[in-house]
Short mmCIF file of all heavy atoms in Angstrom, two decimals:
data_model
loop_
_atom_site.label_atom_id
_atom_site.label_comp_id
_atom_site.label_asym_id
_atom_site.label_seq_id
_atom_site.Cartn_x
_atom_site.Cartn_y
_atom_site.Cartn_z
N THR A 1 -152.78 70.23 95.02
CA THR A 1 -154.15 69.91 95.64
C THR A 1 -155.25 70.83 95.13
O THR A 1 -156.38 70.67 95.23
CB THR A 1 -154.07 70.14 97.24
OG1 THR A 1 -153.72 71.40 97.57
CG2 THR A 1 -153.02 69.08 97.80
N GLN A 2 -154.74 72.04 94.66
CA GLN A 2 -155.75 73.17 94.17
C GLN A 2 -156.40 73.82 95.33
O GLN A 2 -157.41 74.41 95.09
CB GLN A 2 -156.73 72.54 93.20
CG GLN A 2 -155.99 72.06 91.94
CD GLN A 2 -156.99 71.64 90.81
OE1 GLN A 2 -158.10 72.09 90.71
NE2 GLN A 2 -156.49 70.77 89.94
N TYR A 3 -156.06 73.48 96.64
CA TYR A 3 -156.68 74.19 97.82
C TYR A 3 -156.05 75.58 98.07
O TYR A 3 -156.77 76.38 98.60
CB TYR A 3 -156.43 73.37 99.04
CG TYR A 3 -157.12 71.97 99.12
CD1 TYR A 3 -156.56 70.98 99.81
CD2 TYR A 3 -158.22 71.74 98.34
CE1 TYR A 3 -157.11 69.71 99.87
CE2 TYR A 3 -158.85 70.49 98.39
CZ TYR A 3 -158.23 69.44 99.20
OH TYR A 3 -158.80 68.24 99.24
N PHE A 4 -154.83 75.71 97.58
CA PHE A 4 -154.09 76.88 98.00
C PHE A 4 -153.68 77.75 96.82
O PHE A 4 -153.23 77.36 95.83
CB PHE A 4 -152.90 76.52 98.94
CG PHE A 4 -153.18 75.44 99.88
CD1 PHE A 4 -152.71 74.23 99.76
CD2 PHE A 4 -153.91 75.79 101.04
CE1 PHE A 4 -153.16 73.21 100.65
CE2 PHE A 4 -154.20 74.92 101.92
CZ PHE A 4 -153.84 73.51 101.81
N ARG A 5 -153.65 79.11 97.19
CA ARG A 5 -153.23 80.11 96.10
C ARG A 5 -151.63 80.06 96.25
O ARG A 5 -151.02 80.23 95.16
CB ARG A 5 -153.84 81.43 96.35
CG ARG A 5 -153.28 82.50 95.52
CD ARG A 5 -153.86 83.92 95.82
NE ARG A 5 -155.28 83.87 95.48
CZ ARG A 5 -156.07 85.00 95.95
NH1 ARG A 5 -155.58 85.88 96.67
NH2 ARG A 5 -157.40 85.00 95.68
N ASN A 6 -151.08 80.22 97.38
CA ASN A 6 -149.67 80.31 97.61
C ASN A 6 -149.21 79.28 98.58
O ASN A 6 -149.95 78.87 99.56
CB ASN A 6 -149.22 81.73 98.05
CG ASN A 6 -149.49 82.73 97.08
OD1 ASN A 6 -149.13 82.69 95.97
ND2 ASN A 6 -150.19 83.73 97.52
N VAL A 7 -148.02 78.73 98.36
CA VAL A 7 -147.47 77.66 99.17
C VAL A 7 -146.03 77.98 99.50
O VAL A 7 -145.33 78.32 98.55
CB VAL A 7 -147.62 76.23 98.56
CG1 VAL A 7 -146.88 75.30 99.35
CG2 VAL A 7 -149.01 75.90 98.36
N LEU A 8 -145.66 77.86 100.86
CA LEU A 8 -144.26 78.05 101.13
C LEU A 8 -143.89 76.99 102.27
O LEU A 8 -144.51 77.04 103.26
CB LEU A 8 -143.94 79.37 101.72
CG LEU A 8 -142.52 79.67 102.24
CD1 LEU A 8 -141.55 79.60 100.99
CD2 LEU A 8 -142.41 81.16 102.72
N VAL A 9 -142.99 76.19 101.96
CA VAL A 9 -142.55 75.23 102.87
C VAL A 9 -141.02 75.40 103.19
O VAL A 9 -140.22 75.45 102.13
CB VAL A 9 -142.74 73.80 102.45
CG1 VAL A 9 -142.28 72.70 103.43
CG2 VAL A 9 -144.20 73.58 102.15
N ARG A 10 -140.53 75.53 104.26
CA ARG A 10 -139.17 75.95 104.60
C ARG A 10 -138.69 75.24 105.95
O ARG A 10 -139.43 75.33 106.93
CB ARG A 10 -138.88 77.45 104.51
CG ARG A 10 -139.73 78.26 105.58
CD ARG A 10 -139.40 79.69 105.53
NE ARG A 10 -140.07 80.46 106.44
CZ ARG A 10 -140.23 81.77 106.54
NH1 ARG A 10 -139.70 82.42 105.63
NH2 ARG A 10 -140.81 82.26 107.57
N PRO A 11 -137.41 75.04 106.06
CA PRO A 11 -136.83 74.66 107.34
C PRO A 11 -136.47 75.70 108.29
O PRO A 11 -136.04 76.82 107.70
CB PRO A 11 -135.66 73.84 106.90
CG PRO A 11 -135.15 74.55 105.68
CD PRO A 11 -136.41 74.90 104.94
N VAL A 12 -136.91 75.78 109.45
CA VAL A 12 -136.60 76.82 110.44
C VAL A 12 -135.26 76.39 111.16
O VAL A 12 -135.33 75.76 112.27
CB VAL A 12 -137.66 77.10 111.33
CG1 VAL A 12 -137.37 78.43 112.22
CG2 VAL A 12 -139.02 77.36 110.50
N ILE A 13 -134.21 76.60 110.63
CA ILE A 13 -132.92 76.11 111.20
C ILE A 13 -132.61 76.63 112.53
O ILE A 13 -132.13 75.93 113.50
CB ILE A 13 -131.76 76.41 110.19
CG1 ILE A 13 -131.96 75.69 108.89
CG2 ILE A 13 -130.41 75.82 110.82
CD1 ILE A 13 -131.04 76.11 107.77
N SER A 14 -133.05 77.99 112.72
CA SER A 14 -132.82 78.70 114.04
C SER A 14 -133.59 77.91 115.24
O SER A 14 -133.14 78.02 116.37
CB SER A 14 -133.10 80.02 113.91
OG SER A 14 -134.48 80.34 113.51
N ASP A 15 -134.62 77.21 114.84
CA ASP A 15 -135.36 76.59 115.83
C ASP A 15 -135.10 75.07 116.16
O ASP A 15 -135.78 74.38 116.84
CB ASP A 15 -136.89 76.73 115.64
CG ASP A 15 -137.45 78.16 115.72
OD1 ASP A 15 -136.71 79.00 116.32
OD2 ASP A 15 -138.35 78.50 115.28
N ALA A 16 -133.98 74.64 115.50
CA ALA A 16 -133.67 73.16 115.57
C ALA A 16 -133.16 72.79 116.92
O ALA A 16 -132.63 73.58 117.70
CB ALA A 16 -132.58 72.93 114.56
N GLU A 17 -133.63 71.67 117.37
CA GLU A 17 -133.29 71.01 118.66
C GLU A 17 -132.85 69.62 118.57
O GLU A 17 -133.54 68.84 117.86
CB GLU A 17 -134.44 71.12 119.72
CG GLU A 17 -134.82 72.50 120.00
CD GLU A 17 -136.11 72.56 121.03
OE1 GLU A 17 -136.41 71.43 121.48
OE2 GLU A 17 -136.46 73.57 121.33
N ASP A 18 -131.63 69.25 118.97
CA ASP A 18 -131.14 67.89 118.91
C ASP A 18 -131.01 67.48 117.49
O ASP A 18 -131.48 66.44 117.10
CB ASP A 18 -132.05 66.92 119.74
CG ASP A 18 -132.08 67.28 121.20
OD1 ASP A 18 -130.92 67.76 121.83
OD2 ASP A 18 -133.10 66.98 121.86
N LEU A 19 -130.70 68.41 116.56
CA LEU A 19 -130.47 68.14 115.13
C LEU A 19 -131.88 67.85 114.41
O LEU A 19 -131.83 67.50 113.22
CB LEU A 19 -129.54 66.95 114.90
CG LEU A 19 -128.11 67.15 115.41
CD1 LEU A 19 -127.32 65.83 115.08
CD2 LEU A 19 -127.39 68.40 114.75
N ASN A 20 -132.97 68.09 115.06
CA ASN A 20 -134.23 68.06 114.29
C ASN A 20 -134.68 69.43 114.04
O ASN A 20 -134.87 70.34 114.93
CB ASN A 20 -135.21 67.37 115.27
CG ASN A 20 -134.91 65.89 115.59
OD1 ASN A 20 -134.75 65.15 114.54
ND2 ASN A 20 -134.92 65.54 116.74
N VAL A 21 -134.86 69.67 112.76
CA VAL A 21 -135.23 71.05 112.21
C VAL A 21 -136.78 71.03 111.94
O VAL A 21 -137.24 70.26 111.12
CB VAL A 21 -134.36 71.40 111.08
CG1 VAL A 21 -134.43 70.39 109.98
CG2 VAL A 21 -134.71 72.83 110.59
N PRO A 22 -137.40 71.92 112.64
CA PRO A 22 -138.83 72.04 112.29
C PRO A 22 -139.15 72.61 111.00
O PRO A 22 -138.31 73.42 110.38
CB PRO A 22 -139.36 72.92 113.37
CG PRO A 22 -138.21 73.78 113.75
CD PRO A 22 -136.99 72.92 113.69
N ILE A 23 -140.14 72.11 110.33
CA ILE A 23 -140.51 72.52 108.92
C ILE A 23 -141.81 73.46 108.89
O ILE A 23 -142.92 73.03 109.41
CB ILE A 23 -140.80 71.35 107.98
CG1 ILE A 23 -139.65 70.34 107.99
CG2 ILE A 23 -141.13 71.83 106.67
CD1 ILE A 23 -138.41 71.02 107.48
N GLN A 24 -141.56 74.66 108.63
CA GLN A 24 -142.78 75.59 108.60
C GLN A 24 -143.48 75.59 107.30
O GLN A 24 -142.93 75.55 106.19
CB GLN A 24 -142.30 77.07 108.76
CG GLN A 24 -143.38 78.06 109.00
CD GLN A 24 -142.75 79.47 109.20
OE1 GLN A 24 -141.76 79.78 108.74
NE2 GLN A 24 -143.51 80.22 109.98
N VAL A 25 -144.83 75.40 107.38
CA VAL A 25 -145.72 75.42 106.22
C VAL A 25 -146.61 76.53 106.29
O VAL A 25 -147.50 76.77 107.22
CB VAL A 25 -146.53 74.13 106.33
CG1 VAL A 25 -147.42 74.11 104.96
CG2 VAL A 25 -145.61 72.85 106.36
N ILE A 26 -146.49 77.48 105.27
CA ILE A 26 -147.30 78.68 105.20
C ILE A 26 -148.16 78.64 103.94
O ILE A 26 -147.62 78.50 102.94
CB ILE A 26 -146.37 80.03 105.11
CG1 ILE A 26 -145.49 80.06 106.38
CG2 ILE A 26 -147.22 81.26 105.07
CD1 ILE A 26 -144.46 81.16 106.25
N LEU A 27 -149.46 78.61 104.22
CA LEU A 27 -150.48 78.38 103.03
C LEU A 27 -151.41 79.53 102.97
O LEU A 27 -151.93 80.09 104.05
CB LEU A 27 -151.19 76.99 103.38
CG LEU A 27 -150.33 75.81 103.55
CD1 LEU A 27 -151.09 74.64 103.93
CD2 LEU A 27 -149.67 75.45 102.29
N THR A 28 -151.78 79.98 101.77
CA THR A 28 -152.69 80.97 101.56
C THR A 28 -153.84 80.28 100.77
O THR A 28 -153.69 79.85 99.65
CB THR A 28 -152.16 82.16 100.76
OG1 THR A 28 -151.12 82.77 101.37
CG2 THR A 28 -153.25 83.18 100.46
N HIS A 29 -154.98 80.25 101.32
CA HIS A 29 -156.05 79.57 100.69
C HIS A 29 -156.70 80.27 99.52
O HIS A 29 -156.60 81.49 99.49
CB HIS A 29 -157.26 79.34 101.74
CG HIS A 29 -156.90 78.30 102.91
ND1 HIS A 29 -157.50 77.11 102.97
CD2 HIS A 29 -156.08 78.55 103.92
CE1 HIS A 29 -156.97 76.55 103.98
NE2 HIS A 29 -156.06 77.45 104.64
N LYS A 30 -157.21 79.49 98.49
CA LYS A 30 -157.82 79.99 97.44
C LYS A 30 -159.20 80.53 97.79
O LYS A 30 -159.70 80.11 98.84
CB LYS A 30 -158.00 78.98 96.34
CG LYS A 30 -156.80 78.70 95.47
CD LYS A 30 -157.09 77.78 94.36
CE LYS A 30 -155.93 77.58 93.41
NZ LYS A 30 -156.23 76.70 92.30
N PRO A 31 -159.71 81.48 97.00
CA PRO A 31 -161.08 81.91 97.36
C PRO A 31 -162.08 80.77 97.31
O PRO A 31 -161.84 79.64 96.67
CB PRO A 31 -161.36 82.96 96.13
CG PRO A 31 -159.93 83.33 95.60
CD PRO A 31 -159.21 82.08 95.85
N ARG A 32 -163.19 80.97 97.85
CA ARG A 32 -164.31 79.98 97.91
C ARG A 32 -164.67 79.52 96.56
O ARG A 32 -164.83 78.23 96.38
CB ARG A 32 -165.47 80.55 98.62
CG ARG A 32 -166.66 79.59 98.77
CD ARG A 32 -167.94 80.28 99.47
NE ARG A 32 -169.02 79.44 99.31
CZ ARG A 32 -169.34 78.50 100.25
NH1 ARG A 32 -168.56 78.07 101.01
NH2 ARG A 32 -170.50 77.75 100.00
N ASP A 33 -164.66 80.36 95.60
CA ASP A 33 -165.12 79.89 94.21
C ASP A 33 -164.02 80.59 93.23
O ASP A 33 -163.64 81.69 93.41
CB ASP A 33 -166.46 80.46 93.83
CG ASP A 33 -167.50 79.77 94.60
OD1 ASP A 33 -167.81 78.53 94.41
OD2 ASP A 33 -168.19 80.54 95.44
N ASN A 34 -163.67 79.68 92.24
CA ASN A 34 -162.61 80.07 91.38
C ASN A 34 -163.17 79.90 89.93
O ASN A 34 -163.78 78.95 89.61
CB ASN A 34 -161.42 79.17 91.60
CG ASN A 34 -160.69 79.43 92.80
OD1 ASN A 34 -159.75 80.34 92.95
ND2 ASN A 34 -161.04 78.65 93.92
N PHE A 35 -162.84 80.87 89.06
CA PHE A 35 -163.46 80.83 87.77
C PHE A 35 -162.29 80.94 86.74
O PHE A 35 -161.34 81.72 86.99
CB PHE A 35 -164.46 81.91 87.51
CG PHE A 35 -165.69 81.91 88.37
CD1 PHE A 35 -165.64 82.48 89.63
CD2 PHE A 35 -166.76 81.10 88.14
CE1 PHE A 35 -166.81 82.42 90.52
CE2 PHE A 35 -167.87 81.00 88.94
CZ PHE A 35 -167.93 81.60 90.18
N ASP A 36 -162.35 80.37 85.61
CA ASP A 36 -161.49 80.39 84.55
C ASP A 36 -162.27 80.45 83.34
O ASP A 36 -162.94 79.53 83.01
CB ASP A 36 -160.54 79.21 84.64
CG ASP A 36 -159.38 79.33 83.72
OD1 ASP A 36 -159.15 80.34 83.14
OD2 ASP A 36 -158.66 78.22 83.42
N VAL A 37 -161.81 81.39 82.44
CA VAL A 37 -162.57 81.61 81.16
C VAL A 37 -161.50 81.52 80.04
O VAL A 37 -160.41 82.15 80.19
CB VAL A 37 -163.22 82.87 81.06
CG1 VAL A 37 -163.78 83.07 79.61
CG2 VAL A 37 -164.44 82.82 82.10
N GLY A 38 -161.62 80.72 79.03
CA GLY A 38 -160.62 80.69 77.87
C GLY A 38 -161.39 80.79 76.55
O GLY A 38 -162.42 80.26 76.36
N VAL A 39 -160.68 81.40 75.63
CA VAL A 39 -161.16 81.43 74.21
C VAL A 39 -160.02 80.96 73.32
O VAL A 39 -158.79 80.99 73.66
CB VAL A 39 -161.60 82.76 73.87
CG1 VAL A 39 -162.87 83.16 74.58
CG2 VAL A 39 -160.51 83.81 74.02
N GLY A 40 -160.26 80.41 72.26
CA GLY A 40 -159.32 79.90 71.20
C GLY A 40 -159.87 79.79 69.94
O GLY A 40 -161.10 80.01 69.70
N VAL A 41 -159.02 79.23 68.95
CA VAL A 41 -159.53 79.00 67.61
C VAL A 41 -158.73 77.97 67.04
O VAL A 41 -157.39 77.96 67.27
CB VAL A 41 -159.59 80.36 66.79
CG1 VAL A 41 -158.16 80.96 66.63
CG2 VAL A 41 -160.18 80.26 65.46
N SER A 42 -159.19 77.17 66.08
CA SER A 42 -158.41 76.21 65.22
C SER A 42 -159.13 76.02 64.03
O SER A 42 -160.40 76.23 63.93
CB SER A 42 -158.16 74.84 66.05
OG SER A 42 -159.33 74.18 66.23
N SER A 43 -158.52 75.38 63.08
CA SER A 43 -159.18 75.06 61.81
C SER A 43 -160.11 73.90 62.02
O SER A 43 -160.88 73.68 61.21
CB SER A 43 -158.09 74.75 60.72
OG SER A 43 -157.19 73.91 61.19
N ASP A 44 -159.80 72.94 63.04
CA ASP A 44 -160.79 72.05 63.31
C ASP A 44 -162.08 72.32 63.84
O ASP A 44 -163.12 71.96 63.33
CB ASP A 44 -160.15 70.94 64.29
CG ASP A 44 -159.09 70.06 63.73
OD1 ASP A 44 -158.88 70.02 62.51
OD2 ASP A 44 -158.42 69.34 64.45
N GLU A 45 -162.09 73.21 64.81
CA GLU A 45 -163.27 73.50 65.50
C GLU A 45 -163.78 74.89 65.24
O GLU A 45 -164.91 75.28 65.72
CB GLU A 45 -163.12 73.38 67.12
CG GLU A 45 -162.78 72.05 67.43
CD GLU A 45 -162.21 71.82 68.95
OE1 GLU A 45 -161.56 72.71 69.30
OE2 GLU A 45 -162.66 70.92 69.58
#
């Protein structure tokens, strides 16, 4: 999605009830603005 810097999804087995295991979703949001700079070289360009 490119919304998050870090993503962790895991089952919490210790909290399971009636064989239903809850899924914990831990998300770290990306900064408001993200920048990426690249340089390269080729014989074409």
Side-chain angles (χ1 to χ4, degrees):
T1 63
Q2 301 183 18
Y3 294 152
F4 312 107
R5 175 183 293 171
N6 296 308
V7 173
L8 176 62
V9 182
R10 63 184 182 185
V12 186
I13 302 170
S14 59
D15 292 347
E17 295 182 2
D18 299 326
L19 297 178
N20 291 306
V21 56
I23 306 300
Q24 186 179 30
V25 183
I26 302 174
L27 304 170
T28 303
H29 291 251
K30 281 188 174 181
R32 175 180 172 83
D33 294 292
N34 296 270
F35 299 91
D36 185 15
V37 175
V39 294
V41 63
S42 72
S43 51
D44 278 355
E45 302 168 316

